Coordinates of all heavy atoms in Angstrom, one line a residue:
N142 N 103.7 87.2 126.2 CA 102.6 88.2 126.2 C 102.8 89.2 125.0 O 101.8 89.5 124.4 CB 102.7 89.1 127.5 CG 102.3 88.3 128.8 OD1 102.7 88.7 129.8 ND2 101.5 87.3 128.6
L143 N 104.0 89.6 124.8 CA 104.3 90.5 123.7 C 103.9 89.8 122.3 O 103.3 90.4 121.5 CB 105.7 90.9 123.6 CG 106.1 91.9 122.5 CD1 105.4 93.2 122.6 CD2 107.6 92.0 122.3
R144 N 104.4 88.6 122.2 CA 104.0 87.9 120.9 C 102.5 87.7 120.8 O 102.0 87.8 119.7 CB 104.8 86.5 120.9 CG 106.2 86.7 120.4 CD 106.9 85.3 120.1 NE 106.1 84.6 119.1 CZ 106.5 83.4 118.6 NH1 107.6 82.9 119.0 NH2 105.7 82.8 117.7
D145 N 101.9 87.4 121.9 CA 100.4 87.2 121.8 C 99.7 88.5 121.5 O 98.7 88.5 120.8 CB 99.9 86.6 123.2 CG 100.3 85.2 123.4 OD1 100.7 84.5 122.4 OD2 100.1 84.7 124.5
Y146 N 100.3 89.6 122.0 CA 99.7 90.9 121.7 C 99.8 91.2 120.1 O 98.8 91.5 119.5 CB 100.4 92.1 122.4 CG 100.0 93.4 121.8 CD1 98.9 94.1 122.2 CD2 100.8 94.1 120.8 CE1 98.5 95.3 121.7 CE2 100.4 95.3 120.3 CZ 99.2 95.9 120.7 OH 98.8 97.1 120.1
L147 N 101.0 90.9 119.6 CA 101.1 91.1 118.1 C 100.3 90.1 117.3 O 99.8 90.5 116.2 CB 102.6 91.1 117.8 CG 103.4 92.3 118.3 CD1 104.9 92.0 118.3 CD2 103.1 93.6 117.5
S148 N 100.2 88.9 117.8 CA 99.3 87.9 117.1 C 97.9 88.4 117.1 O 97.2 88.2 116.1 CB 99.5 86.6 117.8 OG 100.8 86.1 117.8
W149 N 97.5 88.9 118.2 CA 96.1 89.5 118.4 C 95.8 90.6 117.3 O 94.8 90.5 116.6 CB 95.9 90.0 119.8 CG 94.6 90.7 120.0 CD1 93.4 90.2 119.8 CD2 94.5 92.0 120.6 NE1 92.4 91.2 120.2 CE2 93.1 92.3 120.7 CE3 95.3 93.0 121.0 CZ2 92.6 93.5 121.1 CZ3 94.8 94.2 121.5 CH2 93.5 94.4 121.6
R150 N 96.8 91.5 117.2 CA 96.6 92.5 116.2 C 96.6 92.0 114.7 O 95.8 92.4 113.9 CB 97.7 93.6 116.3 CG 97.7 94.5 117.6 CD 96.4 94.7 118.2 NE 95.4 95.4 117.3 CZ 94.1 95.2 117.4 NH1 93.6 94.3 118.2 NH2 93.3 95.9 116.6
Q151 N 97.5 91.0 114.5 CA 97.5 90.5 113.1 C 96.3 89.6 112.8 O 95.8 89.6 111.7 CB 98.8 89.7 112.8 CG 99.0 89.4 111.3 CD 100.4 88.9 111.0 OE1 100.9 88.0 111.6 NE2 101.0 89.6 110.0
A152 N 95.8 88.9 113.8 CA 94.6 88.1 113.6 C 93.4 89.0 113.3 O 92.6 88.8 112.5 CB 94.3 87.2 114.8
D153 N 93.4 90.2 114.0 CA 92.4 91.2 113.8 C 92.5 91.7 112.3 O 91.5 92.0 111.7 CB 92.6 92.3 114.8 CG 91.5 93.4 114.8 OD1 90.4 93.1 115.3 OD2 91.7 94.4 114.2
T154 N 93.7 92.0 111.8 CA 93.9 92.4 110.4 C 93.2 91.4 109.5 O 92.5 91.8 108.6 CB 95.4 92.5 110.1 OG1 96.0 93.3 111.0 CG2 95.6 93.0 108.7
H155 N 93.5 90.1 109.7 CA 93.0 89.1 108.8 C 91.4 89.1 108.9 O 90.8 89.1 107.8 CB 93.5 87.7 109.2 CG 92.8 86.6 108.5 ND1 93.1 86.3 107.2 CD2 91.9 85.7 108.9 CE1 92.3 85.3 106.8 NE2 91.6 84.9 107.9
I156 N 90.9 89.1 110.0 CA 89.4 89.0 110.2 C 88.8 90.2 109.5 O 87.8 90.0 108.7 CB 89.0 88.9 111.7 CG1 89.4 87.6 112.3 CG2 87.5 89.1 111.8 CD1 89.5 87.6 113.8
N157 N 89.3 91.4 109.8 CA 88.7 92.6 109.2 C 88.9 92.7 107.7 O 87.9 93.1 107.0 CB 89.3 93.9 109.8 CG 88.8 94.0 111.3 OD1 87.8 93.6 111.7 ND2 89.7 94.7 112.1
N158 N 90.1 92.3 107.2 CA 90.3 92.5 105.8 C 89.6 91.5 105.0 O 89.1 91.8 103.9 CB 91.8 92.4 105.5 CG 92.1 92.8 104.1 OD1 91.9 94.0 103.7 ND2 92.6 91.9 103.3
L159 N 89.4 90.2 105.5 CA 88.6 89.2 104.8 C 87.2 89.7 104.7 O 86.6 89.7 103.6 CB 88.7 87.9 105.5 CG 87.9 86.7 104.8 CD1 88.4 86.5 103.4 CD2 88.1 85.4 105.6
Y160 N 86.7 90.2 105.8 CA 85.3 90.7 105.8 C 85.1 91.9 104.8 O 84.2 91.9 104.0 CB 84.8 91.1 107.2 CG 83.4 91.6 107.2 CD1 82.3 90.7 107.4 CD2 83.1 92.9 106.9 CE1 81.0 91.1 107.4 CE2 81.8 93.4 106.9 CZ 80.7 92.5 107.1 OH 79.4 92.9 107.1
N161 N 86.0 92.8 104.9 CA 85.9 94.1 104.1 C 86.1 93.8 102.6 O 85.4 94.4 101.8 CB 86.9 95.1 104.5 CG 86.6 95.7 105.9 OD1 85.5 95.7 106.3 ND2 87.6 96.2 106.6
T162 N 87.0 92.8 102.3 CA 87.2 92.5 100.9 C 86.0 91.8 100.3 O 85.6 92.1 99.2 CB 88.5 91.5 100.8 OG1 89.6 92.2 101.4 CG2 88.8 91.3 99.3
A163 N 85.4 90.9 101.1 CA 84.1 90.3 100.6 C 83.0 91.3 100.5 O 82.3 91.4 99.5 CB 83.7 89.1 101.5
F164 N 82.9 92.1 101.5 CA 81.8 93.2 101.6 C 81.9 94.1 100.4 O 80.9 94.3 99.6 CB 81.9 93.9 102.9 CG 80.9 95.0 103.1 CD1 79.6 94.7 103.5 CD2 81.3 96.4 102.9 CE1 78.7 95.7 103.7 CE2 80.3 97.4 103.1 CZ 79.0 97.1 103.5
W165 N 83.1 94.7 100.1 CA 83.2 95.6 99.0 C 83.3 94.9 97.7 O 82.9 95.5 96.7 CB 84.5 96.5 99.2 CG 84.2 97.5 100.3 CD1 84.6 97.4 101.6 CD2 83.4 98.7 100.2 NE1 84.1 98.5 102.3 CE2 83.4 99.3 101.4 CE3 82.7 99.3 99.1 CZ2 82.7 100.5 101.7 CZ3 82.1 100.5 99.3 CH2 82.0 101.1 100.6
G166 N 83.7 93.6 97.7 CA 83.6 92.8 96.4 C 82.2 92.7 96.0 O 81.9 92.9 94.8
L167 N 81.3 92.3 96.9 CA 79.9 92.2 96.6 C 79.3 93.5 96.1 O 78.4 93.5 95.2 CB 79.1 91.6 97.8 CG 79.4 90.2 98.2 CD1 78.8 89.8 99.5 CD2 78.9 89.2 97.1
I168 N 79.7 94.6 96.7 CA 79.2 95.9 96.3 C 79.7 96.4 94.9 O 79.0 96.7 94.0 CB 79.4 96.9 97.4 CG1 78.6 96.6 98.6 CG2 79.1 98.4 96.9 CD1 79.0 97.4 99.9
L169 N 81.1 96.3 94.8 CA 81.7 96.9 93.7 C 81.7 96.0 92.4 O 81.6 96.5 91.3 CB 83.2 97.2 94.0 CG 83.4 98.3 95.1 CD1 84.8 98.5 95.5 CD2 82.8 99.6 94.7
T170 N 81.7 94.6 92.6 CA 81.7 93.8 91.4 C 80.3 93.2 91.1 O 80.0 92.9 90.0 CB 82.8 92.6 91.4 OG1 82.4 91.7 92.4 CG2 84.2 93.2 91.6
K171 N 79.5 93.0 92.2 CA 78.2 92.4 92.0 C 77.1 93.5 92.0 O 75.9 93.2 91.7 CB 77.9 91.3 93.0 CG 78.8 90.1 93.0 CD 78.5 89.2 91.8 CE 77.2 88.4 92.0 NZ 76.8 87.5 90.9
G172 N 77.4 94.7 92.3 CA 76.4 95.8 92.4 C 75.4 95.7 93.5 O 74.3 96.3 93.4
L173 N 75.7 94.9 94.5 CA 74.8 94.8 95.6 C 74.8 96.1 96.5 O 75.8 96.9 96.5 CB 75.1 93.6 96.6 CG 75.1 92.2 96.0 CD1 75.2 91.2 97.1 CD2 73.9 92.0 95.1
S174 N 73.7 96.3 97.2 CA 73.7 97.4 98.2 C 74.4 97.0 99.4 O 74.7 95.9 99.7 CB 72.2 97.8 98.5 OG 71.7 96.8 99.4
N175 N 74.8 98.0 100.3 CA 75.5 97.8 101.5 C 74.7 96.7 102.4 O 75.2 95.8 102.9 CB 75.7 99.0 102.3 CG 76.7 100.0 101.7 OD1 76.9 99.9 100.5 ND2 77.3 100.8 102.5
N176 N 73.4 96.9 102.4 CA 72.5 96.1 103.2 C 72.5 94.6 102.7 O 72.6 93.7 103.5 CB 71.1 96.6 103.3 CG 70.9 97.7 104.4 OD1 71.7 97.8 105.3 ND2 69.9 98.5 104.2
E177 N 72.4 94.5 101.4 CA 72.4 93.2 100.8 C 73.7 92.5 101.0 O 73.7 91.3 101.4 CB 72.2 93.3 99.3 CG 70.7 93.7 98.9 CD 70.5 94.1 97.4 OE1 71.5 94.6 96.8 OE2 69.4 94.0 97.0
A178 N 74.8 93.2 100.9 CA 76.1 92.6 101.1 C 76.3 92.1 102.6 O 76.8 91.0 102.9 CB 77.2 93.6 100.8
E179 N 75.8 93.0 103.5 CA 75.9 92.7 104.9 C 75.1 91.4 105.2 O 75.5 90.6 106.0 CB 75.4 93.9 105.7 CG 75.8 93.9 107.1 CD 75.3 95.2 107.9 OE1 75.5 96.3 107.3 OE2 74.6 95.0 108.9
K180 N 73.9 91.3 104.7 CA 73.0 90.1 104.9 C 73.7 88.9 104.4 O 73.7 87.8 105.1 CB 71.7 90.3 104.1 CG 70.6 90.8 105.0 CD 69.2 90.6 104.4 CE 68.2 91.4 105.1 NZ 67.3 92.2 104.3
I181 N 74.3 88.9 103.3 CA 75.0 87.7 102.7 C 76.1 87.2 103.6 O 76.3 86.0 103.9 CB 75.5 87.9 101.3 CG1 74.3 88.0 100.3 CG2 76.5 86.9 100.8 CD1 74.6 88.3 98.9
L182 N 76.8 88.2 104.2 CA 78.0 87.9 105.0 C 77.7 87.5 106.4 O 78.5 86.9 107.1 CB 79.1 89.0 104.9 CG 79.7 89.2 103.5 CD1 80.6 90.4 103.5 CD2 80.4 88.0 103.1
C183 N 76.5 88.0 106.9 CA 76.1 87.8 108.3 C 76.2 86.3 108.7 O 75.6 85.4 108.0 CB 74.7 88.3 108.5 SG 74.2 88.2 110.2
G184 N 77.0 86.0 109.7 CA 77.1 84.6 110.2 C 78.0 83.7 109.4 O 78.1 82.5 109.8
T185 N 78.6 84.2 108.4 CA 79.5 83.3 107.6 C 80.9 83.1 108.3 O 81.4 84.1 109.0 CB 79.8 83.9 106.2 OG1 80.4 85.2 106.3 CG2 78.5 83.9 105.4
V186 N 81.5 81.9 108.2 CA 82.8 81.7 108.7 C 83.8 82.0 107.6 O 83.4 82.3 106.5 CB 83.0 80.3 109.2 CG1 82.1 80.0 110.4 CG2 82.8 79.2 108.1
S187 N 85.1 82.0 107.9 CA 86.2 82.4 107.0 C 86.1 81.7 105.7 O 86.2 82.3 104.6 CB 87.6 82.2 107.6 OG 87.8 83.1 108.6
S188 N 86.0 80.3 105.7 CA 86.0 79.5 104.5 C 84.8 79.9 103.6 O 85.0 80.0 102.4 CB 85.9 78.0 104.8 OG 84.7 77.8 105.6
E189 N 83.7 80.3 104.2 CA 82.5 80.7 103.4 C 82.8 82.1 102.7 O 82.4 82.3 101.6 CB 81.3 80.8 104.3 CG 80.8 79.4 104.7 CD 79.8 79.4 105.8 OE1 79.9 80.3 106.7 OE2 79.0 78.5 105.9
K190 N 83.4 83.0 103.5 CA 83.8 84.3 102.9 C 84.7 84.1 101.7 O 84.6 84.7 100.6 CB 84.4 85.2 103.9 CG 83.4 85.7 105.0 CD 84.0 86.8 105.9 CE 83.1 87.1 107.0 NZ 83.1 86.1 108.1
N191 N 85.7 83.2 101.9 CA 86.7 82.9 100.8 C 85.9 82.4 99.6 O 86.2 82.8 98.4 CB 87.7 81.8 101.2 CG 88.9 82.4 101.8 OD1 89.7 83.1 101.2 ND2 89.1 82.2 103.1
E192 N 84.9 81.5 99.8 CA 84.2 80.9 98.7 C 83.3 81.9 98.0 O 83.2 82.0 96.8 CB 83.3 79.8 99.3 CG 82.9 78.8 98.2 CD 82.2 77.6 98.9 OE1 83.0 76.9 99.6 OE2 81.1 77.3 98.6
I193 N 82.7 82.8 98.8 CA 81.8 83.9 98.2 C 82.7 84.8 97.3 O 82.3 85.1 96.2 CB 81.2 84.7 99.3 CG1 80.1 83.9 100.0 CG2 80.6 86.0 98.8 CD1 79.5 84.5 101.3
L194 N 83.9 85.1 97.8 CA 84.8 86.0 97.0 C 85.2 85.3 95.7 O 85.2 85.9 94.7 CB 86.1 86.2 97.8 CG 86.1 87.5 98.7 CD1 87.3 87.5 99.5 CD2 86.1 88.8 97.7
F195 N 85.5 84.0 95.8 CA 85.9 83.2 94.6 C 84.8 83.1 93.6 O 85.0 83.3 92.4 CB 86.4 81.8 95.1 CG 87.3 81.2 94.0 CD1 88.5 81.7 93.7 CD2 86.8 80.0 93.4 CE1 89.2 81.0 92.7 CE2 87.5 79.4 92.4 CZ 88.8 79.9 92.0
K196 N 83.6 82.6 94.1 CA 82.5 82.3 93.2 C 81.8 83.6 92.7 O 81.4 83.7 91.5 CB 81.5 81.4 93.9 CG 82.1 80.0 94.0 CD 81.0 79.0 94.4 CE 81.5 77.6 94.4 NZ 80.9 76.7 95.4
E197 N 81.5 84.5 93.6 CA 80.7 85.7 93.2 C 81.6 86.8 92.7 O 81.1 87.6 91.9 CB 79.9 86.2 94.5 CG 79.1 85.2 95.2 CD 77.9 84.7 94.4 OE1 77.4 85.6 93.6 OE2 77.4 83.6 94.6
C198 N 82.8 87.0 93.1 CA 83.6 88.2 92.8 C 84.8 87.8 92.0 O 85.6 88.7 91.7 CB 84.0 88.9 94.1 SG 82.6 89.2 95.2
D199 N 85.0 86.5 91.7 CA 86.1 86.1 90.9 C 87.5 86.5 91.5 O 88.4 86.9 90.8 CB 86.0 86.7 89.4 CG 86.8 85.9 88.4 OD1 87.0 84.7 88.7 OD2 87.2 86.5 87.4
T200 N 87.5 86.5 92.8 CA 88.7 86.9 93.6 C 89.2 85.8 94.4 O 88.5 85.2 95.2 CB 88.3 88.1 94.5 OG1 87.8 89.2 93.7 CG2 89.5 88.6 95.3

Side-chain angles (χ1 to χ4, degrees):
N142 291 153
L143 177 70
R144 280 191 55 177
D145 289 346
Y146 169 81
L147 289 163
S148 298
W149 174 53
R150 295 328 300 147
Q151 192 167 53
D153 188 78
T154 305
H155 171 72
I156 292 163
N157 290 334
N158 192 61
L159 179 58
Y160 181 90
N161 291 338
T162 306
F164 180 78
W165 287 99
L167 289 169
I168 291 167
L169 298 173
T170 67
K171 295 287 286 182
L173 300 193
S174 71
N175 290 23
N176 277 342
E177 288 167 334
E179 199 178 307
K180 260 197 194 128
I181 287 179
L182 294 175
C183 182
T185 57
V186 297
S187 286
S188 58
E189 292 165 328
K190 290 187 189 78
N191 269 296
E192 198 169 301
I193 289 168
L194 267 171
F195 195 69
K196 288 194 172 144
E197 306 289 332
C198 311
D199 205 22
T200 299

